[in-house]
Amino acid sequence: ETREAEHLGKELDEARLLPKEAKEEQTRQTEEERTRLKLSEDELLAREAEKLIRLAKEAEEEQKRQTEEAHRLKEELVRARRLRTEQAERAEALRLEEERAEAQRLEEK
């Protein structure tokens, strides 16, 4: 009976340890899952940060391209205005020359 009692006592002690070990195992697994989720979250944040950096660079490049295009168009506008002014001046000079020639012809008659 004593041996049987000791044996039952050991089994009882082991049975008490099993829930404790199971709880420790569950805690360990929970911590591992938290760590995995944290890593996944960190990875997602890193990907999002990389995406935002890429978009910022693209926006910066687009801004630079648009600035260059605006500068080119402004130069083109300045050239067009200069040509229009030069043409108007030549047209005015021709008109004045024609008026003088007409006036001279009238004087000669």
Side-chain angles (χ1 to χ4, degrees), residues 31-88:
E31 287 301 317
E32 287 177 359
E33 184 63 21
R34 284 184 186 152
T35 301
R36 263 195 304 279
L37 290 174
K38 177 71 173 137
L39 290 174
S40 295
E41 185 179 329
D42 290 348
E43 187 177 304
L44 288 173
L45 290 173
R47 286 181 187 167
E48 188 65 23
E50 288 172 4
K51 180 181 175 184
L52 291 173
I53 290 169
R54 181 180 46 79
L55 289 173
K57 286 180 181 178
E58 288 173 3
E60 186 178 335
E61 290 170 5
E62 179 63 16
Q63 177 72 29
K64 182 180 176 183
R65 189 194 64 74
Q66 288 181 359
T67 300
E68 290 171 351
E69 180 67 8
H71 184 68
R72 186 189 66 74
L73 290 172
K74 185 177 178 183
E75 288 177 348
E76 209 172 286
L77 179 62
V78 168
R79 276 195 299 276
R81 285 179 178 165
R82 187 179 317 122
L83 285 174
R84 189 176 63 213
T85 301
E86 289 171 0
Q87 287 174 343

